[in-house]
């Protein structure tokens, strides 16, 4: 009888252990599911933020290109007056006011900064992750380094001449040459104007390339967000 009781108790103990192990495994599984769900929600939230930042950046870049393109038209107007040897007209005040001024690219990177802090591997879609990294670590950097730094370099080089020969007016972005007739035959001024136009036109190209890439990345983000919902 004692042996039978011992056998039953042993089987009961084994059963209890099995139930405890199963309970632990179920709890771990639920916990893992919850953690994965949390990571999933964080990932989708970050992707939405990245998309929002890119949309705002795209709108900002579109505005920048409109303004920079207009500045080129203004500088071409000065060239026209010089080429045709026309007398000064106050319509050139705006054009001269734009010399030494331009729209710099300011991409919004708050979401990407957060993403790097949390770890880039939180983005489970590897090709999408690589596209996001390429955008912020390469393509936008090209726009800033190859275009905007060139504008700043021109400004530093040309400022002494500009301050000497061109005076600001009271209204915003208005200026006029101290002596337009002498400026028309000044080769240094012609070279400066040509350099500014060339740099600004290069900027439009870099802006265009960046905007195309941003639009494509936004489309990829849209697909991912729709698929993951």
């Amino acid at each position: 009888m004692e042996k039978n009781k011992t056998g039953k108790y042993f089987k009961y103990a084994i059963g209890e252990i099995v139930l405890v192990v199963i309970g632990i495994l179920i709890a771990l599984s639920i916990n893992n599911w919850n953690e994965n769900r949390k990571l999933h929600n964080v990932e989708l939230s970050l992707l939405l933020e990245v998309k929002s930042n890119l949309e705002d950046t795209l709108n900002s870049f579109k505005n920048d290109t409109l303004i920079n393109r207009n500045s080129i038209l203004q500088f071409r107007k000065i060239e026209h007056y010089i080429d045709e040897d026309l007398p000064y007209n106050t319509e050139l005040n705006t054009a001269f006011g734009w010399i030494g001024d331009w729209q710099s690219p300011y991409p919004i990177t708050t979401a990407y900064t957060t993403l790097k802090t949390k770890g880039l591997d939180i983005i489970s879609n590897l090709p999408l992750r690589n596209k996001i990294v390429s955008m912020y670590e390469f393509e936008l950097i090209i726009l800033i380094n190859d275009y905007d730094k060139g504008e700043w370099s021109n400004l530093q080089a040309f400022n002494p001449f500009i301050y000497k020969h061109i005076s600001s007016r009271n209204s915003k972005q208005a200026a006029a040459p101290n002596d337009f007739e002498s400026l028309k035959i000044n080769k240094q001024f012609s070279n400066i104007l040509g350099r500014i136009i060339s740099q600004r036109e290069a900027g439009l190209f870099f802006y265009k390339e960046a905007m195309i890439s941003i639009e494509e990345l936004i489309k990829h983000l849209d697909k991912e967000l729709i698929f993951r919902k």
Side-chain angles (χ1 to χ4, degrees):
M1 290 178 62
E2 290 295 328
K3 288 181 181 180
N4 289 337
K5 287 182 180 181
T6 300
K8 289 179 181 179
Y9 287 142
F10 182 73
K11 291 178 182 178
Y12 177 77
I14 293 295
E16 286 290 313
I17 292 171
V18 171
L19 289 175
V20 169
V21 170
I22 291 172
I24 292 172
L25 292 174
I26 291 173
L28 288 173
S29 177
I30 292 172
N31 183 65
N32 287 336
W33 184 86
N34 286 332
E35 289 300 318
N36 289 334
R37 188 63 186 172
K38 288 178 183 178
L39 286 174
H40 173 83
N41 291 336
V42 170
E43 178 187 1
L44 292 185
S45 177
L46 284 171
L47 289 177
L48 279 170
E49 288 181 36
V50 170
K51 179 191 170 189
S52 177
N53 280 185
L54 288 171
E55 289 172 338
D56 290 340
T57 296
L58 182 61
N59 289 330
S60 176
F61 283 5
K62 287 178 179 178
N63 183 64
D64 291 345
T65 55
L66 287 174
I67 294 174
N68 285 342
R69 186 175 287 110
N70 179 63
S71 71
I72 293 173
L73 294 176
Q74 295 293 332
F75 300 146
R76 293 293 187 194
K77 188 182 295 184
I78 297 175
E79 285 189 325
H80 172 72
Y81 270 73
I82 293 174
D83 292 341
E84 299 298 322
D85 195 22
L86 300 174
Y88 190 79
N89 189 298
T90 53
E91 73 167 345
L92 294 180
N93 286 357
T94 300
F96 276 98
W98 267 104
I99 294 178
D101 201 1
W102 70 95
Q103 290 297 110
S104 292
Y106 291 107
I108 301 171
T109 61
T110 51
Y112 184 66
T113 300
T114 302
L115 179 58
K116 287 198 295 183
T117 300
K118 291 185 177 294
L120 293 170
D121 57 353
I122 198 172
I123 306 299
S124 56
N125 185 328
L126 182 58
L128 179 61
R129 185 199 310 167
N130 290 337
K131 284 183 174 66
I132 293 172
V133 173
S134 177
M135 173 60 65
Y136 285 97
E137 302 290 349
F138 178 68
E139 296 185 61
L140 293 178
I141 299 299
I142 287 178
L143 176 62
I144 295 170
N145 287 345
D146 288 2
Y147 165 61
D148 198 45
K149 286 188 177 180
E151 291 279 12
W152 282 105
S153 178
N154 281 347
L155 180 64
Q156 291 174 345
F158 304 153
N159 255 351
F161 182 94
I162 292 170
Y163 286 139
K164 181 179 179 180
H165 295 279
I166 300 171
S167 300
S168 298
R169 291 293 184 260
N170 293 329
S171 59
K172 185 180 179 182
Q173 283 183 336
N178 300 326
D179 185 348
F180 185 56
E181 292 305 313
S182 64
L183 202 60
K184 285 196 293 185
I185 59 175
N186 190 308
K187 293 298 182 182
Q188 186 178 1
F189 177 68
S190 296
N191 290 335
I192 287 173
L193 197 59
R195 283 276 300 277
I196 292 174
I197 292 172
S198 177
Q199 180 67 26
R200 201 64 50 86
E201 287 178 336
L204 291 179
F205 171 78
F206 286 120
Y207 263 111
K208 180 181 178 182
E209 292 297 302
M211 289 190 292
I212 290 173
S213 296
I214 290 172
E215 288 173 340
E216 290 178 352
L217 181 52
I218 289 173
K219 290 178 182 178
H220 285 294
L221 286 164
D222 275 333
K223 289 180 181 178
E224 182 72 6
L225 289 167
I226 291 171
F227 175 74
R228 298 287 296 282
K229 283 182 179 180

